Amino acid sequence: METYIYDHVRTPRGKGKPDGSLHEVTPVWLASRPLVALRERNHLDTALIDDVVMGCVVPVGEQGGNIARMAVLQADFDQKVPALQINRYCGSGLEAVSFAAAKVMAGQAEMAIGGGIEMMSRVPMGADGGAWAQDPQVAFKTYFVMQGISADLLASLRGHSRSDVDAYSAESHRRAQQAWSEGRFDRSVVPVQDFLGLTLLSRDETIRPATSSESLAALKPAFTEMGEKYGYDSVAMQRYPQVEKIEHIHHAGNSSGIVDGAAAVLVGNAAVGARLGLKPRARIVSFAAVGSEPTLMLDGPAPAARKALAIAGMQPSDIDLWELNEAFASVVLTLMEELSIPHDRINVNGGAIAMGHPLGATGAMILGTVLDELERTGKQTALVSLCVAAGMGSAMIIERV
């Protein structure tokens, strides 16, 4: 059954530290804001929503339990609306939309919402522990390394230089600043207000317009000590003996920012849209997820994109715009090389290096970003992808209608 995107909204991304503008609100409150916005701007009878699926990568403490259901109740949706929290690490937000769309495609739902939440200022990354890093047997079997080491390993394997990743990162900030200054995000970003109705944040908080390759060159690599002193370089080179030395080139300026944020995407079939007077904005063509080698970890976007293209019967040349989460600059450079993507067709409004990566929400956010850009430019097709921890990748293709 054909499944359409009817609307999407996201919060601005707030700096994911105690001095960030969103830190004072709870994860449940933040997760509920896009749901409220979808209800109000589409005049939804929420009793007609068959399910809400939200990604959350660190579902502990204030984000614990089933935060999706708590957000549904906080947003004053009809209590009959069920909700589900899922975790595919950084791909969770896109997977949540895929999960919601799959229910519609299967005829088991008419209308659903997929999205995500992460409040990294209040629930730190890694707070949930997990066997991969903490169980020696699992870590040994999988050649576990920290993700920053994987980024530098990927760059070493691909021959990316420090100047390559810094130049890409400076451009991410420039594009993000241009997008905001031209109002490209205005339709889809909903300001976050507190319980008193006071606006806390109305635009992404971590963009640095003055960023240049020269200013980034002054930053020290972030993962050198981790790799050399704590042995992660040796583990990575055991798995990849063809690498003589890992070149540590990633730092805070060419890696995704730690931020707070939430997003939601409204999907449904044609019949429910017609009945409610909603105009579809895009058709979901295909989606896919893959596993990849867990030490390198970050090379999943290309095979995930190829799988989604194969399902759709398409070629990379059929895609007008690409959106890839900028977990690390080398991840984007790798996809561009693998699929011959020109820089002027990928992440054209900047990405997570400039605006941040709220882990469970990013996939839904960048899906909305590229849909807005299709409409702004009159283009037709887009492919969204993310690398995923533990060696995975997620992708989705949409077509503007």
Side-chain angles (χ1 to χ4, degrees):
M1 183 178 296
E2 298 282 13
T3 299
Y4 299 93
I5 296 174
Y6 284 100
D7 200 8
H8 72 88
V9 292
R10 71 168 177 94
T11 69
R13 300 163 170 108
K15 184 167 62 173
K17 295 181 179 180
D19 62 344
S21 296
L22 298 179
H23 177 70
E24 69 178 71
V25 300
T26 66
V28 171
W29 178 261
L30 189 65
S32 70
R33 298 306 88 192
L35 300 181
V36 170
L38 282 182
R39 182 193 68 218
E40 292 181 349
R41 59 198 250 163
N42 293 287
H43 308 290
L44 289 176
D45 175 359
T46 58
L48 300 177
I49 297 171
D50 294 300
D51 209 349
V52 173
V53 188
M54 301 193 79
C56 181
V57 175
V58 190
V60 297
E62 294 179 302
Q63 288 182 169
N66 181 353
I67 191 171
R69 174 60 175 168
M70 296 304 104
V72 161
L73 297 175
Q74 180 67 59
D76 293 319
F77 275 33
D78 192 288
Q79 68 178 13
K80 294 191 293 294
V81 180
L84 171 69
Q85 176 266 322
I86 65 170
N87 180 10
R88 201 193 292 276
Y89 296 122
C90 300
S92 299
L94 187 64
E95 290 293 332
V97 180
S98 298
F99 195 106
K103 295 190 76 170
V104 176
M105 291 175 176
Q108 301 303 301
E110 283 195 304
M111 177 170 284
I113 294 173
I117 167 66
E118 208 77 37
M119 282 212 71
M120 303 178 77
S121 71
R122 295 176 69 116
V123 184
M125 184 166 48
D128 55 340
W132 190 34
Q134 297 185 354
D135 184 330
Q137 184 181 38
V138 176
F140 179 81
K141 182 180 180 65
T142 58
Y143 292 86
F144 169 77
V145 299
M146 301 297 288
Q147 197 168 85
I149 303 299
S150 298
D152 287 338
L153 171 62
L154 178 64
S156 299
L157 287 166
R158 303 289 307 193
H160 300 152
S161 69
R162 173 67 183 264
S163 60
D164 292 335
V165 292
D166 283 352
Y168 178 85
S169 302
E171 179 65 6
S172 179
H173 282 275
R174 190 198 68 78
R175 291 182 178 189
Q177 177 63 25
Q178 180 181 7
W180 269 109
S181 66
E182 294 181 359
R184 297 184 190 181
F185 299 138
D186 290 353
R187 178 179 181 182
S188 302
V189 174
V190 291
V192 177
Q193 298 176 329
D194 65 12
F195 295 95
L196 300 176
L198 300 175
T199 297
L200 301 176
L201 188 65
S202 60
R203 61 180 291 156
D204 297 316
E205 193 170 24
T206 61
I207 302 169
R208 299 185 301 278
T211 299
S212 66
S213 295
E214 291 73 25
S215 65
L216 292 175
L219 299 177
K220 293 182 179 180
F223 309 109
T224 304
E225 181 178 11
M226 181 187 296
E228 296 177 355
K229 183 176 179 180
Y230 295 102
Y232 286 118
D233 282 3
S234 296
V235 173
M237 289 188 291
Q238 286 179 35
R239 183 65 183 83
Y240 289 89
Q242 67 269 40
V243 177
E244 182 178 348
K245 182 180 186 297
I246 294 179
E247 299 293 337
H248 292 288
I249 63 173
H250 287 92
H251 50 75
N254 56 36
S255 307
S256 55
I258 293 172
V259 293
D260 301 331
V265 180
L266 180 67
V267 301
N269 60 28
V272 73
R275 193 164 71 246
L276 299 178
L278 299 176
K279 182 180 178 181
R281 296 176 59 185
R283 179 175 70 92
I284 296 177
V285 179
S286 68
F287 44 84
V290 300
S292 63
E293 197 282 309
T295 303
L296 185 57
M297 188 185 324
L298 304 173
D299 63 339
R306 290 191 181 101
K307 185 175 182 180
L309 287 164
I311 292 170
M314 300 173 71
Q315 300 294 324
S317 58
D318 297 322
I319 301 298
D320 296 321
L321 293 172
W322 299 75
E323 198 76 23
L324 173 62
N325 181 38
E326 295 174 349
F328 300 91
S330 60
V331 174
V332 189
L333 296 180
T334 297
L335 183 69
M336 291 167 65
E337 293 162 357
E338 287 279 327
L339 297 179
S340 300
I341 304 168
H343 196 181
D344 62 1
R345 288 171 55 198
I346 187 167
N347 295 357
V348 298
N349 292 313
I353 288 172
M355 294 177 284
H357 172 28
L359 305 176
T362 304
M365 284 187 170
I366 64 176
L367 176 64
T369 295
V370 83
L371 172 54
D372 285 350
E373 186 64 14
L374 285 178
E375 293 174 335
R376 186 184 77 85
T377 59
K379 293 181 168 58
Q380 288 298 121
T381 58
L383 190 149
V384 177
S385 187
L386 302 94
C387 60
V388 179
M392 291 181 282
S394 297
M396 177 180 285
I397 299 172
I398 62 171
E399 179 183 42
R400 182 175 64 88
V401 295

